[in-house]
mmCIF file of all heavy atoms in Angstrom:
data_model
loop_
_atom_site.group_PDB
_atom_site.id
_atom_site.type_symbol
_atom_site.label_atom_id
_atom_site.label_comp_id
_atom_site.label_asym_id
_atom_site.label_seq_id
_atom_site.Cartn_x
_atom_site.Cartn_y
_atom_site.Cartn_z
ATOM 1 N N ARG E 17 41.016 117.529 87.059
ATOM 2 C CA ARG E 17 41.561 116.565 86.026
ATOM 3 C C ARG E 17 40.702 115.314 86.191
ATOM 4 O O ARG E 17 40.319 114.856 87.229
ATOM 5 C CB ARG E 17 42.985 116.266 86.354
ATOM 6 C CG ARG E 17 43.871 117.462 86.129
ATOM 7 C CD ARG E 17 45.262 117.190 86.458
ATOM 8 N NE ARG E 17 45.844 116.024 85.713
ATOM 9 C CZ ARG E 17 47.027 115.652 85.683
ATOM 10 N NH1 ARG E 17 47.880 116.202 86.511
ATOM 11 N NH2 ARG E 17 47.398 114.653 85.010
ATOM 12 N N VAL E 18 40.491 114.745 85.066
ATOM 13 C CA VAL E 18 39.710 113.417 85.021
ATOM 14 C C VAL E 18 40.553 112.288 85.652
ATOM 15 O O VAL E 18 39.969 111.546 86.427
ATOM 16 C CB VAL E 18 39.395 113.041 83.543
ATOM 17 C CG1 VAL E 18 38.707 111.684 83.465
ATOM 18 C CG2 VAL E 18 38.536 114.134 82.974
ATOM 19 N N GLU E 19 41.817 112.178 85.405
ATOM 20 C CA GLU E 19 42.653 111.172 86.079
ATOM 21 C C GLU E 19 43.906 111.866 86.578
ATOM 22 O O GLU E 19 44.465 112.757 85.948
ATOM 23 C CB GLU E 19 43.002 110.071 85.077
ATOM 24 C CG GLU E 19 44.034 110.434 84.039
ATOM 25 C CD GLU E 19 43.361 110.955 82.752
ATOM 26 O OE1 GLU E 19 42.135 110.975 82.645
ATOM 27 O OE2 GLU E 19 44.119 111.312 81.776
ATOM 28 N N PRO E 20 44.319 111.419 87.775
ATOM 29 C CA PRO E 20 45.581 111.927 88.281
ATOM 30 C C PRO E 20 46.674 111.155 87.657
ATOM 31 O O PRO E 20 46.534 110.072 87.042
ATOM 32 C CB PRO E 20 45.478 111.521 89.777
ATOM 33 C CG PRO E 20 44.620 110.401 89.828
ATOM 34 C CD PRO E 20 43.599 110.568 88.772
ATOM 35 N N ALA E 21 47.759 111.777 87.631
ATOM 36 C CA ALA E 21 48.974 111.234 86.861
ATOM 37 C C ALA E 21 49.918 110.600 87.872
ATOM 38 O O ALA E 21 49.893 110.948 89.066
ATOM 39 C CB ALA E 21 49.650 112.301 86.085
ATOM 40 N N PRO E 22 50.747 109.650 87.423
ATOM 41 C CA PRO E 22 51.822 109.144 88.337
ATOM 42 C C PRO E 22 52.764 110.343 88.762
ATOM 43 O O PRO E 22 52.844 111.373 88.132
ATOM 44 C CB PRO E 22 52.577 108.168 87.479
ATOM 45 C CG PRO E 22 51.587 107.696 86.383
ATOM 46 C CD PRO E 22 50.707 108.935 86.138
ATOM 47 N N PRO E 23 53.449 110.136 89.842
ATOM 48 C CA PRO E 23 54.212 111.385 90.274
ATOM 49 C C PRO E 23 55.289 111.743 89.276
ATOM 50 O O PRO E 23 55.792 110.917 88.437
ATOM 51 C CB PRO E 23 54.937 110.778 91.568
ATOM 52 C CG PRO E 23 54.553 109.356 91.675
ATOM 53 C CD PRO E 23 53.549 108.958 90.634
ATOM 54 N N GLU E 24 55.622 113.000 89.275
ATOM 55 C CA GLU E 24 56.545 113.542 88.236
ATOM 56 C C GLU E 24 58.027 113.012 88.459
ATOM 57 O O GLU E 24 58.746 112.954 87.497
ATOM 58 C CB GLU E 24 56.563 115.028 88.311
ATOM 59 C CG GLU E 24 55.231 115.666 87.822
ATOM 60 C CD GLU E 24 55.286 117.128 87.791
ATOM 61 O OE1 GLU E 24 56.396 117.731 87.844
ATOM 62 O OE2 GLU E 24 54.249 117.802 87.716
ATOM 63 N N HIS E 25 58.369 112.625 89.700
ATOM 64 C CA HIS E 25 59.768 112.188 89.889
ATOM 65 C C HIS E 25 59.849 110.600 89.429
ATOM 66 O O HIS E 25 60.907 110.074 89.458
ATOM 67 C CB HIS E 25 60.157 112.331 91.292
ATOM 68 C CG HIS E 25 59.361 111.616 92.291
ATOM 69 N ND1 HIS E 25 58.126 112.094 92.729
ATOM 70 C CD2 HIS E 25 59.466 110.413 92.898
ATOM 71 C CE1 HIS E 25 57.662 111.292 93.663
ATOM 72 N NE2 HIS E 25 58.381 110.246 93.730
ATOM 73 N N ALA E 26 58.770 109.950 89.041
ATOM 74 C CA ALA E 26 58.846 108.576 88.592
ATOM 75 C C ALA E 26 59.266 108.519 87.125
ATOM 76 O O ALA E 26 58.980 109.381 86.408
ATOM 77 C CB ALA E 26 57.410 107.964 88.668
ATOM 78 N N LEU E 27 60.090 107.499 86.825
ATOM 79 C CA LEU E 27 60.596 107.303 85.466
ATOM 80 C C LEU E 27 59.924 106.206 84.826
ATOM 81 O O LEU E 27 59.909 105.071 85.270
ATOM 82 C CB LEU E 27 62.155 107.021 85.463
ATOM 83 C CG LEU E 27 62.950 108.174 86.182
ATOM 84 C CD1 LEU E 27 64.371 107.637 86.316
ATOM 85 C CD2 LEU E 27 62.968 109.461 85.366
ATOM 86 N N ARG E 28 59.255 106.532 83.593
ATOM 87 C CA ARG E 28 58.600 105.472 82.888
ATOM 88 C C ARG E 28 59.525 104.471 82.151
ATOM 89 O O ARG E 28 60.532 104.857 81.584
ATOM 90 C CB ARG E 28 57.671 106.080 81.855
ATOM 91 C CG ARG E 28 56.862 105.101 81.119
ATOM 92 C CD ARG E 28 55.780 105.793 80.278
ATOM 93 N NE ARG E 28 55.062 104.845 79.417
ATOM 94 C CZ ARG E 28 54.042 104.116 79.802
ATOM 95 N NH1 ARG E 28 53.526 104.231 81.008
ATOM 96 N NH2 ARG E 28 53.446 103.257 78.988
ATOM 97 N N LEU E 29 59.212 103.228 82.228
ATOM 98 C CA LEU E 29 59.992 102.212 81.516
ATOM 99 C C LEU E 29 59.353 101.975 80.163
ATOM 100 O O LEU E 29 58.267 101.537 80.076
ATOM 101 C CB LEU E 29 60.125 100.871 82.371
ATOM 102 C CG LEU E 29 60.756 101.076 83.675
ATOM 103 C CD1 LEU E 29 60.767 99.609 84.414
ATOM 104 C CD2 LEU E 29 62.224 101.503 83.545
ATOM 105 N N ASP E 30 60.088 102.166 79.087
ATOM 106 C CA ASP E 30 59.533 102.076 77.791
ATOM 107 C C ASP E 30 59.265 100.613 77.361
ATOM 108 O O ASP E 30 58.431 100.318 76.506
ATOM 109 C CB ASP E 30 60.395 102.664 76.694
ATOM 110 C CG ASP E 30 60.599 104.183 76.864
ATOM 111 O OD1 ASP E 30 59.595 104.796 77.380
ATOM 112 O OD2 ASP E 30 61.520 104.692 76.536
ATOM 113 N N GLU E 31 59.956 99.646 78.034
ATOM 114 C CA GLU E 31 59.802 98.312 77.638
ATOM 115 C C GLU E 31 58.412 97.665 78.138
ATOM 116 O O GLU E 31 58.034 96.625 77.611
ATOM 117 C CB GLU E 31 60.960 97.389 78.298
ATOM 118 C CG GLU E 31 62.316 97.857 77.844
ATOM 119 C CD GLU E 31 62.806 98.940 78.721
ATOM 120 O OE1 GLU E 31 62.545 98.966 79.917
ATOM 121 O OE2 GLU E 31 63.640 99.803 78.228
ATOM 122 N N PHE E 32 57.836 98.313 79.144
ATOM 123 C CA PHE E 32 56.664 97.835 79.735
ATOM 124 C C PHE E 32 55.475 98.862 79.583
ATOM 125 O O PHE E 32 55.793 100.052 79.565
ATOM 126 C CB PHE E 32 56.818 97.547 81.293
ATOM 127 C CG PHE E 32 57.947 96.461 81.474
ATOM 128 C CD1 PHE E 32 59.242 96.845 81.699
ATOM 129 C CD2 PHE E 32 57.598 95.195 81.413
ATOM 130 C CE1 PHE E 32 60.128 95.829 81.940
ATOM 131 C CE2 PHE E 32 58.511 94.201 81.569
ATOM 132 C CZ PHE E 32 59.834 94.583 81.846
ATOM 133 N N ARG E 33 54.271 98.383 79.566
ATOM 134 C CA ARG E 33 53.113 99.201 79.291
ATOM 135 C C ARG E 33 52.723 100.165 80.483
ATOM 136 O O ARG E 33 52.469 101.294 80.223
ATOM 137 C CB ARG E 33 51.901 98.393 78.927
ATOM 138 C CG ARG E 33 50.677 99.076 78.650
ATOM 139 C CD ARG E 33 49.567 98.171 78.291
ATOM 140 N NE ARG E 33 48.300 98.868 78.045
ATOM 141 C CZ ARG E 33 47.186 98.237 77.909
ATOM 142 N NH1 ARG E 33 47.049 96.924 77.791
ATOM 143 N NH2 ARG E 33 46.040 98.925 77.805
ATOM 144 N N ASP E 34 52.834 99.564 81.640
ATOM 145 C CA ASP E 34 52.306 100.300 82.841
ATOM 146 C C ASP E 34 53.291 100.471 83.985
ATOM 147 O O ASP E 34 52.950 100.900 85.109
ATOM 148 C CB ASP E 34 51.155 99.506 83.488
ATOM 149 C CG ASP E 34 50.052 99.248 82.504
ATOM 150 O OD1 ASP E 34 49.540 100.215 81.880
ATOM 151 O OD2 ASP E 34 49.660 98.042 82.191
ATOM 152 N N VAL E 35 54.649 100.161 83.756
ATOM 153 C CA VAL E 35 55.618 100.125 84.823
ATOM 154 C C VAL E 35 56.441 101.385 84.848
ATOM 155 O O VAL E 35 56.880 101.968 83.854
ATOM 156 C CB VAL E 35 56.564 98.934 84.705
ATOM 157 C CG1 VAL E 35 57.524 98.883 85.862
ATOM 158 C CG2 VAL E 35 55.706 97.667 84.700
ATOM 159 N N TRP E 36 56.565 101.949 86.067
ATOM 160 C CA TRP E 36 57.452 103.121 86.387
ATOM 161 C C TRP E 36 58.439 102.855 87.417
ATOM 162 O O TRP E 36 58.194 102.024 88.299
ATOM 163 C CB TRP E 36 56.526 104.230 86.872
ATOM 164 C CG TRP E 36 55.397 104.722 85.936
ATOM 165 C CD1 TRP E 36 54.358 103.963 85.539
ATOM 166 C CD2 TRP E 36 55.405 105.930 85.224
ATOM 167 N NE1 TRP E 36 53.562 104.723 84.628
ATOM 168 C CE2 TRP E 36 54.131 105.824 84.421
ATOM 169 C CE3 TRP E 36 56.174 106.996 85.136
ATOM 170 C CZ2 TRP E 36 53.768 106.900 83.660
ATOM 171 C CZ3 TRP E 36 55.817 108.135 84.388
ATOM 172 C CH2 TRP E 36 54.646 108.098 83.525
ATOM 173 N N ALA E 37 59.644 103.414 87.275
ATOM 174 C CA ALA E 37 60.653 103.282 88.421
ATOM 175 C C ALA E 37 60.520 104.356 89.415
ATOM 176 O O ALA E 37 60.395 105.625 89.043
ATOM 177 C CB ALA E 37 62.055 103.363 87.799
ATOM 178 N N LEU E 38 60.329 103.960 90.664
ATOM 179 C CA LEU E 38 59.990 104.894 91.724
ATOM 180 C C LEU E 38 60.842 104.580 92.873
ATOM 181 O O LEU E 38 60.650 103.580 93.530
ATOM 182 C CB LEU E 38 58.483 104.875 91.979
ATOM 183 C CG LEU E 38 57.941 105.804 92.997
ATOM 184 C CD1 LEU E 38 58.086 107.289 92.476
ATOM 185 C CD2 LEU E 38 56.474 105.578 93.269
ATOM 186 N N ARG E 39 61.905 105.452 93.139
ATOM 187 C CA ARG E 39 62.660 105.300 94.273
ATOM 188 C C ARG E 39 63.416 103.973 94.344
ATOM 189 O O ARG E 39 63.451 103.310 95.348
ATOM 190 C CB ARG E 39 61.963 105.539 95.562
ATOM 191 C CG ARG E 39 61.460 106.967 95.714
ATOM 192 C CD ARG E 39 60.864 107.142 97.069
ATOM 193 N NE ARG E 39 60.286 108.455 97.171
ATOM 194 C CZ ARG E 39 59.160 108.765 97.649
ATOM 195 N NH1 ARG E 39 58.426 107.808 98.183
ATOM 196 N NH2 ARG E 39 58.650 109.977 97.690
ATOM 197 N N GLY E 40 63.920 103.535 93.229
ATOM 198 C CA GLY E 40 64.715 102.276 93.235
ATOM 199 C C GLY E 40 63.851 100.989 93.112
ATOM 200 O O GLY E 40 64.429 99.901 93.028
ATOM 201 N N LYS E 41 62.571 101.088 93.194
ATOM 202 C CA LYS E 41 61.685 99.975 92.995
ATOM 203 C C LYS E 41 60.775 100.160 91.744
ATOM 204 O O LYS E 41 60.812 101.183 91.088
ATOM 205 C CB LYS E 41 60.739 99.775 94.216
ATOM 206 C CG LYS E 41 61.480 99.507 95.505
ATOM 207 C CD LYS E 41 62.004 98.102 95.580
ATOM 208 C CE LYS E 41 62.715 97.879 96.879
ATOM 209 N NZ LYS E 41 62.966 96.477 97.077
ATOM 210 N N PHE E 42 59.990 99.176 91.398
ATOM 211 C CA PHE E 42 59.174 99.275 90.309
ATOM 212 C C PHE E 42 57.662 99.203 90.663
ATOM 213 O O PHE E 42 57.309 98.372 91.467
ATOM 214 C CB PHE E 42 59.428 98.065 89.343
ATOM 215 C CG PHE E 42 60.822 98.117 88.836
ATOM 216 C CD1 PHE E 42 61.805 97.296 89.338
ATOM 217 C CD2 PHE E 42 61.286 99.018 87.837
ATOM 218 C CE1 PHE E 42 63.161 97.344 88.926
ATOM 219 C CE2 PHE E 42 62.530 98.990 87.282
ATOM 220 C CZ PHE E 42 63.495 98.216 87.956
ATOM 221 N N VAL E 43 56.987 100.139 90.150
ATOM 222 C CA VAL E 43 55.488 100.297 90.441
ATOM 223 C C VAL E 43 54.700 100.395 89.206
ATOM 224 O O VAL E 43 55.161 101.047 88.225
ATOM 225 C CB VAL E 43 55.297 101.676 91.264
ATOM 226 C CG1 VAL E 43 53.859 101.837 91.693
ATOM 227 C CG2 VAL E 43 56.227 101.585 92.512
ATOM 228 N N ALA E 44 53.546 99.797 89.226
ATOM 229 C CA ALA E 44 52.675 99.811 88.023
ATOM 230 C C ALA E 44 51.449 100.814 88.421
ATOM 231 O O ALA E 44 50.941 100.822 89.494
ATOM 232 C CB ALA E 44 52.140 98.468 87.742
#
Side-chain angles (χ1 to χ4, degrees):
R17 292 177 60 176
V18 175
E19 71 267 358
E24 292 186 14
H25 61 275
L27 301 173
R28 182 169 172 87
L29 298 178
D30 293 332
E31 302 86 30
F32 299 96
R33 179 178 176 187
D34 303 307
V35 180
W36 299 69
L38 186 63
R39 296 186 185 138
K41 297 286 185 172
F42 299 100
V43 178

